[in-house]
Amino acid sequence: MSTDLHPPQGRVLGRSVARLEDPPLVTGRGRFVGDISFPRQLHMRMVRSPYAHAELRAVDVAVARAAPGIVAVWTAADIADLPPIDFRDPAGEALRPYRQPLLARDRLRYVGEPVAAVFATDAYLAEDAADLVTVEAEELPPILDAAGAPSSFAAGLSTEALVLRAGYGEVEAAFAAAHAVIALDLEIGRHSGVPLETRGALAHYDATRDVIELYGAAKVPHRNRDALARMFGRSAASVVLKEGSTGGGFGIRGELYPEDFLVCLAALRLARPVKWIEDRREHLMAANHSRQQRHRARVAVDAEGVVLALEDEFFLDQGAYVRTHGARVPEMTMAMLPGPYRIPAYRITGHFRLTNKTPAATYRAPGRYEGSFVRERLLDAVADRLGLDRVTVRRRNLIGAAEMPFTRSLSALGTDIVYDSGDYALLLDKALARIGWEKLQGELKRRRGKGELIGAGIGIFVDKGGLGPLDGTRISVDATGSVELVTGGSNVGQGFVTAMAQICADTLGVDYRRVRVVYGQTDRIQYGIGAHASRASVMTGGATHAAALKVRAKALEMAAALLQAGPDELDIVDGVVVHRDRPPGPLGGPSIALGEIARHLAPDSPLLGERDPGLSAEGWFRADHMTYPYGVQIAVVRVDRDTGEVTVERYLCAYDVGRSINPMLVEGQLVGGVVQGLGGALSEEFRYDERGEPLSVTLADYRMPTARDIPPIEILITEDAPSPLNPLGIKSAGEGGITPVGAVIAAAIDEAIGIPGAVRRLPMTPQRVKALLRAKADL
Amino acid sequence: MPGSTRETSVKPAPFAYQRPATIEDAVRLLGELAPHEGRVLAGGQSLVPIMAFRLARPAYLIDINAVAGLDRLFVRDGVLRIGARVRHAAFHRPVVDGPLGAMLAQVVRHVAHYPIRLRGTLCGSLAHADPAAEWGVVAATLDAELVAVGARGERRVAASDFFRGPMETALASDELLAEARLPVLPDDTRFGFAEFSRRAGDYALAMALAVLRIEAGTIAAPRLGLGGAEAAPRRIAAAEGLLRGEAPGEAVFRAAAEAAAAAIDPLEDPETDAQYRRELVEAMVFRALTQVCAGEAEA
Amino acid sequence: MTGPVDVTLTINGRSHAIRVEPRRTLLDAIRDECGLTGTHMGCEHGVCGACTVLVDGDPVRACLMFAVQAEGSNVRTVEGLAQGDALHALQRAFMAHHGVQCGFCTPGFLMLAAGALEREPDIGDAELLEVLSSNLCRCTGYQGIVAAVRAALAELREAGNEH
């Protein structure tokens, strides 16, 4: 999809207009944290644990301290007064003992855990000195299986940090009355977002204002600001987070890690700016991992394949500590697993287990990629057991449009799960029609008849967006007619600036290119939600819409007085207030530009009257419930009989977003998500050896898709079920590409190799596929 | 127990840098500096990453990118001579008419990626001796002659003696691989090359190069080389024996492929166990042989 | 001997006289000593291609070269792709075809494509895809990038045909 270069005058909402973010990015003038430097800055380099699990005896830094260019070397003893990293949202007391210290104290719990920090005048010298630090430790056996028996995390603490339970309905009765019961043991491999820009942080202390400024923030700048201030015992106003360009987030960047706190502390204590840029090896063993879950799930069905009950017990491999998300990922898994199906009875138990691996947290569609794999594998197994068509079984279980809003007796993220709107069967029909499902089946049969290992898979899912409770923005128009929109949002590459500018422009009546969007500067606005959980377009978009309506109303009221017309007779077109029935021109109606109105609203304007000065307003948007976009995805794969290699020949991603602000941006998000999903399904995995040594530590080992690994991806965006929860009907699109990909590819591989239910784990590397083929041949 | 941190660097350790202009200077420097951790820098596409990780910490780098005469690429006496500075990309278009040029142009597409091929060198790849490097299979299969130059003069090493193991060759630390020599193959030579890697451009998990002629309807002078599957690339005599004198056909190719798979001492790692490695070898050998006779009716 | 040496780098037609250790990569020298931060650092082990620049017309990975090696060569970075205010066809195409999301991989792709198209103006589509598979992108899923480069190539070919 390409840019709509000449949108009709004044109306850009829903159009694929060019991105405002692009011009600096294509000319190399982005401002990523690595691009920013201050005079006299120090470079921080972390010394990390080489052991997966050990009692830490001593960290010898004497030689390192004396090395050239070294200003300081810290161990836990140097920051003994600082607590471990807290959770972003209030989490149960039970999890608090599992929080990560800034630097390891008595125990090393994963390879890559920060043990010491070196501060040097140059990054190369910092690495040289880090080499000179020695770590003395006594190795302990590593815990690497989250589904095994729990063991000891510390005195009196189990590696099973928490057991979560949720459910509703009469599960036992349903299983007793079932026509058939199918049980599956499924595994999703450990993988994560791995953005192309590694993490980074640059802290600068301004003594004149007593303010610590931190660059490199992303995702949730205000929350992070609050957490940093709390950690250091400072007021929130004395910590300012500043976001520039961000090289991808996917949920990984923007949580607070030890390094973020350390650079701030060092900037304070060493009285120099401190810069830290993570390298790729570090990233792969220190930035949040995700996804690794083992599910033992079973489903009870009647003779028609209608699900009577679904029961699941799963084990989430959290890694060495519980980080800022607390138990968010297992919560999301549990709440969203039922997906688009009725599932009248449901019981799920989540074991939140600590192991000696890199800590895990949220990665795009957290809990939903995993849950979709489980749910759709179960549905496929039902179809196979009962000899029914996979699509038919799904149809029989889908929640109907007439049942909306549909309440699941579940909650997550502090809100009840209530599907706001959706016509799942309609989207299914559209997706099947778009790919030509019947014709495709015939074609695949024909090719299989000739000996090709080829098959198709389908998955249906519900995602979530628009997490509240509240967001606010401020819009002001200056004397030149230029519009500033101040948000507390975050731009991680998704086109946040453009989308917000479009909403503002459409509502206010200006050219979107004249809207300057401020994001990620915590000193420009009191409160912000950042951008995560696919919430920005709904929440910040809603607040922008609200603020723009107020500014519009203020402008029209003033213009009405100046033009001697009723406000209802006026409109704003391309930044100029005009008479609806008397367009401007030599013999036409009166008009007045917004800039001029702003001048007349200045504090010293003789025309101000009793009004509040300034053509500006704040707007707020509230949401008690999330929105629920939904999708259908279909893949066709071919398997190489000799090598087990899987080639995806075709991919269809159909998604209902309620209302799309910019279809080109939505498509970009969906395609990007699908490709990440393919990586998780086929090749990406964080592997460990039996000593807990990570094996996927370079981009050669952690294999992400390249341009030649991707199929043609068709995108079908629909707006059949706008959300009733916000005036624009937006549901959001950030995570919908990735969610069902694991499930869809698994189903397609099953069909291609002719072994229903064969795929039980991800990723399906060629070796694993070949093992399935070999087993089949041996029968 | 005491221990130190494992290397986790991405910036190289310090080194001193030399950029000789003549082969004599290069050889002299290498002779002086090799005993003190001196190494040759050619394309750098393999060496620089391992220096970044500090898995290699040469104290001296002798950059040969300005050395006169090492960029020669020419045929003399039926032998293609490839100088140390010749980049992979030189082979994108056939450098010599006939099967050898066509073969090198086909194989080179599997070597890493386009930008790597513009800097990396064929000789550098051979000297680096990653078992999964494509040029290693070519050198082994064609019985290349490798010309090593050092303070003690020049010596020639046969490919079968050159590759000693993963990252290990017959080169002494004070020798530089100045030239690789490949025979210009007869015009009626046929070849086939097949490689399996996880993604295009990744190192091969198994690759096979088959070279043969058909005389009077049967296979003559078969060469069957494997790479990526064992500690070093080599010809597989057992497979060649099953091909020699036989009429080409699916059954013969399958037998040779099975023999090759059985003959290897497979490299194993967590992602590729011995059984899978053998299956890949069998598949690649079969594919390479099938390519050789593509378009030919089965005898 | 391992200490800093004087090196003159010629980048986008301008000379930069710097003083660096031999171990300083071309990437770090371009970004830090020469202040041109458009070229990005994604892995420092030659896999991701975010650091791609042109050295004497060849797209190469700046993290795999040392600054001292680039003396006497013409280096071109993304900052030198446009001619004044006139953007290169590739830059315009990346914007028109949504080939940019976070922008971190973008300079590397632009220089890779610019170099490849200049070296091989008759490049076929399969070869073009092969070239583009050299670099990693995590945001776009490549579709926008491939569309952009194809469009730029078509435009450049048409402009070439007009002469």
Side-chain angles (χ1 to χ4, degrees), chain A residues 528-545:
Chain A
I529 59 167
H532 65 113
S534 298
R535 68 204 302 203
S537 43
V538 172
M539 298 302 298
T540 315
T544 299
H545 180 69

PDB file of all heavy atoms in Angstrom, chain A residues 528-545:
ATOM      1  N   GLY A 528       0.867  10.857  31.304  1.00  0.00           N
ATOM      2  CA  GLY A 528       0.871  10.219  29.989  1.00  0.00           C
ATOM      3  C   GLY A 528       0.822   8.711  30.129  1.00  0.00           C
ATOM      4  O   GLY A 528       1.242   8.163  31.152  1.00  0.00           O
ATOM      5  N   ILE A 529       0.325   8.057  29.112  1.00  0.00           N
ATOM      6  CA  ILE A 529       0.239   6.595  29.148  1.00  0.00           C
ATOM      7  C   ILE A 529       1.265   5.938  28.245  1.00  0.00           C
ATOM      8  O   ILE A 529       1.347   4.717  28.181  1.00  0.00           O
ATOM      9  CB  ILE A 529      -1.167   6.106  28.742  1.00  0.00           C
ATOM     10  CG1 ILE A 529      -1.518   6.587  27.324  1.00  0.00           C
ATOM     11  CG2 ILE A 529      -2.197   6.562  29.755  1.00  0.00           C
ATOM     12  CD1 ILE A 529      -2.730   5.895  26.738  1.00  0.00           C
ATOM     13  N   GLY A 530       2.037   6.734  27.519  1.00  0.00           N
ATOM     14  CA  GLY A 530       3.008   6.122  26.624  1.00  0.00           C
ATOM     15  C   GLY A 530       2.314   5.430  25.465  1.00  0.00           C
ATOM     16  O   GLY A 530       1.235   5.828  25.043  1.00  0.00           O
ATOM     17  N   ALA A 531       2.951   4.403  24.957  1.00  0.00           N
ATOM     18  CA  ALA A 531       2.336   3.651  23.866  1.00  0.00           C
ATOM     19  C   ALA A 531       2.671   2.191  24.065  1.00  0.00           C
ATOM     20  O   ALA A 531       3.811   1.774  23.892  1.00  0.00           O
ATOM     21  CB  ALA A 531       2.870   4.121  22.524  1.00  0.00           C
ATOM     22  N   HIS A 532       1.701   1.435  24.442  1.00  0.00           N
ATOM     23  CA  HIS A 532       1.883  -0.001  24.610  1.00  0.00           C
ATOM     24  C   HIS A 532       0.504  -0.596  24.711  1.00  0.00           C
ATOM     25  O   HIS A 532      -0.472   0.125  24.840  1.00  0.00           O
ATOM     26  CB  HIS A 532       2.717  -0.313  25.853  1.00  0.00           C
ATOM     27  CG  HIS A 532       2.055   0.083  27.128  1.00  0.00           C
ATOM     28  ND1 HIS A 532       1.625  -0.834  28.072  1.00  0.00           N
ATOM     29  CD2 HIS A 532       1.723   1.289  27.628  1.00  0.00           C
ATOM     30  CE1 HIS A 532       1.081  -0.194  29.080  1.00  0.00           C
ATOM     31  NE2 HIS A 532       1.119   1.095  28.850  1.00  0.00           N
ATOM     32  N   ALA A 533       0.438  -1.896  24.641  1.00  0.00           N
ATOM     33  CA  ALA A 533      -0.857  -2.571  24.740  1.00  0.00           C
ATOM     34  C   ALA A 533      -1.829  -2.025  23.701  1.00  0.00           C
ATOM     35  O   ALA A 533      -3.035  -2.018  23.917  1.00  0.00           O
ATOM     36  CB  ALA A 533      -1.445  -2.424  26.157  1.00  0.00           C
ATOM     37  N   SER A 534      -1.305  -1.559  22.583  1.00  0.00           N
ATOM     38  CA  SER A 534      -2.151  -1.056  21.490  1.00  0.00           C
ATOM     39  C   SER A 534      -3.178  -0.065  22.013  1.00  0.00           C
ATOM     40  O   SER A 534      -4.356  -0.151  21.685  1.00  0.00           O
ATOM     41  CB  SER A 534      -2.880  -2.216  20.796  1.00  0.00           C
ATOM     42  OG  SER A 534      -1.946  -3.089  20.218  1.00  0.00           O
ATOM     43  N   ARG A 535      -2.730   0.866  22.802  1.00  0.00           N
ATOM     44  CA  ARG A 535      -3.709   1.759  23.423  1.00  0.00           C
ATOM     45  C   ARG A 535      -3.658   3.165  22.878  1.00  0.00           C
ATOM     46  O   ARG A 535      -4.592   3.938  23.063  1.00  0.00           O
ATOM     47  CB  ARG A 535      -3.512   1.774  24.929  1.00  0.00           C
ATOM     48  CG  ARG A 535      -2.218   2.433  25.357  1.00  0.00           C
ATOM     49  CD  ARG A 535      -1.724   1.986  26.703  1.00  0.00           C
ATOM     50  NE  ARG A 535      -2.690   2.236  27.742  1.00  0.00           N
ATOM     51  CZ  ARG A 535      -2.387   2.357  29.035  1.00  0.00           C
ATOM     52  NH1 ARG A 535      -1.137   2.257  29.412  1.00  0.00           N
ATOM     53  NH2 ARG A 535      -3.315   2.537  29.945  1.00  0.00           N
ATOM     54  N   ALA A 536      -2.546   3.544  22.219  1.00  0.00           N
ATOM     55  CA  ALA A 536      -2.363   4.950  21.874  1.00  0.00           C
ATOM     56  C   ALA A 536      -3.429   5.461  20.927  1.00  0.00           C
ATOM     57  O   ALA A 536      -3.954   6.560  21.107  1.00  0.00           O
ATOM     58  CB  ALA A 536      -0.978   5.176  21.274  1.00  0.00           C
ATOM     59  N   SER A 537      -3.750   4.675  19.912  1.00  0.00           N
ATOM     60  CA  SER A 537      -4.697   5.233  18.947  1.00  0.00           C
ATOM     61  C   SER A 537      -6.063   5.440  19.598  1.00  0.00           C
ATOM     62  O   SER A 537      -6.770   6.392  19.275  1.00  0.00           O
ATOM     63  CB  SER A 537      -4.800   4.389  17.683  1.00  0.00           C
ATOM     64  OG  SER A 537      -4.846   3.032  17.997  1.00  0.00           O
ATOM     65  N   VAL A 538      -6.421   4.557  20.523  1.00  0.00           N
ATOM     66  CA  VAL A 538      -7.715   4.729  21.191  1.00  0.00           C
ATOM     67  C   VAL A 538      -7.653   5.836  22.240  1.00  0.00           C
ATOM     68  O   VAL A 538      -8.449   6.781  22.218  1.00  0.00           O
ATOM     69  CB  VAL A 538      -8.158   3.414  21.873  1.00  0.00           C
ATOM     70  CG1 VAL A 538      -9.401   3.629  22.723  1.00  0.00           C
ATOM     71  CG2 VAL A 538      -8.412   2.337  20.831  1.00  0.00           C
ATOM     72  N   MET A 539      -6.687   5.713  23.157  1.00  0.00           N
ATOM     73  CA  MET A 539      -6.697   6.609  24.326  1.00  0.00           C
ATOM     74  C   MET A 539      -6.166   7.991  23.979  1.00  0.00           C
ATOM     75  O   MET A 539      -6.816   9.006  24.224  1.00  0.00           O
ATOM     76  CB  MET A 539      -5.867   5.999  25.453  1.00  0.00           C
ATOM     77  CG  MET A 539      -6.377   4.667  25.974  1.00  0.00           C
ATOM     78  SD  MET A 539      -8.073   4.759  26.590  1.00  0.00           S
ATOM     79  CE  MET A 539      -7.895   5.919  27.927  1.00  0.00           C
ATOM     80  N   THR A 540      -4.972   8.037  23.427  1.00  0.00           N
ATOM     81  CA  THR A 540      -4.402   9.335  23.071  1.00  0.00           C
ATOM     82  C   THR A 540      -5.175   9.925  21.901  1.00  0.00           C
ATOM     83  O   THR A 540      -5.392  11.137  21.814  1.00  0.00           O
ATOM     84  CB  THR A 540      -2.906   9.187  22.731  1.00  0.00           C
ATOM     85  OG1 THR A 540      -2.285   8.358  23.705  1.00  0.00           O
ATOM     86  CG2 THR A 540      -2.215  10.540  22.712  1.00  0.00           C
ATOM     87  N   GLY A 541      -5.617   9.027  21.008  1.00  0.00           N
ATOM     88  CA  GLY A 541      -6.457   9.490  19.904  1.00  0.00           C
ATOM     89  C   GLY A 541      -7.755  10.072  20.430  1.00  0.00           C
ATOM     90  O   GLY A 541      -8.214  11.125  19.957  1.00  0.00           O
ATOM     91  N   GLY A 542      -8.348   9.409  21.392  1.00  0.00           N
ATOM     92  CA  GLY A 542      -9.589   9.903  21.984  1.00  0.00           C
ATOM     93  C   GLY A 542      -9.391  11.246  22.676  1.00  0.00           C
ATOM     94  O   GLY A 542     -10.211  12.162  22.537  1.00  0.00           O
ATOM     95  N   ALA A 543      -8.292  11.363  23.413  1.00  0.00           N
ATOM     96  CA  ALA A 543      -8.015  12.620  24.113  1.00  0.00           C
ATOM     97  C   ALA A 543      -7.717  13.738  23.123  1.00  0.00           C
ATOM     98  O   ALA A 543      -8.131  14.889  23.315  1.00  0.00           O
ATOM     99  CB  ALA A 543      -6.846  12.429  25.070  1.00  0.00           C
ATOM    100  N   THR A 544      -7.014  13.404  22.046  1.00  0.00           N
ATOM    101  CA  THR A 544      -6.720  14.390  20.998  1.00  0.00           C
ATOM    102  C   THR A 544      -8.015  14.878  20.368  1.00  0.00           C
ATOM    103  O   THR A 544      -8.206  16.081  20.147  1.00  0.00           O
ATOM    104  CB  THR A 544      -5.810  13.758  19.925  1.00  0.00           C
ATOM    105  OG1 THR A 544      -4.583  13.357  20.525  1.00  0.00           O
ATOM    106  CG2 THR A 544      -5.532  14.725  18.793  1.00  0.00           C
ATOM    107  N   HIS A 545      -8.885  13.935  20.079  1.00  0.00           N
ATOM    108  CA  HIS A 545     -10.183  14.285  19.498  1.00  0.00           C
ATOM    109  C   HIS A 545     -10.941  15.224  20.430  1.00  0.00           C
ATOM    110  O   HIS A 545     -11.479  16.254  20.009  1.00  0.00           O
ATOM    111  CB  HIS A 545     -10.961  12.995  19.246  1.00  0.00           C
ATOM    112  CG  HIS A 545     -12.320  13.194  18.660  1.00  0.00           C
ATOM    113  ND1 HIS A 545     -12.537  13.637  17.370  1.00  0.00           N
ATOM    114  CD2 HIS A 545     -13.547  12.988  19.185  1.00  0.00           C
ATOM    115  CE1 HIS A 545     -13.829  13.695  17.132  1.00  0.00           C
ATOM    116  NE2 HIS A 545     -14.485  13.316  18.218  1.00  0.00           N
TER     117      HIS A 545
END
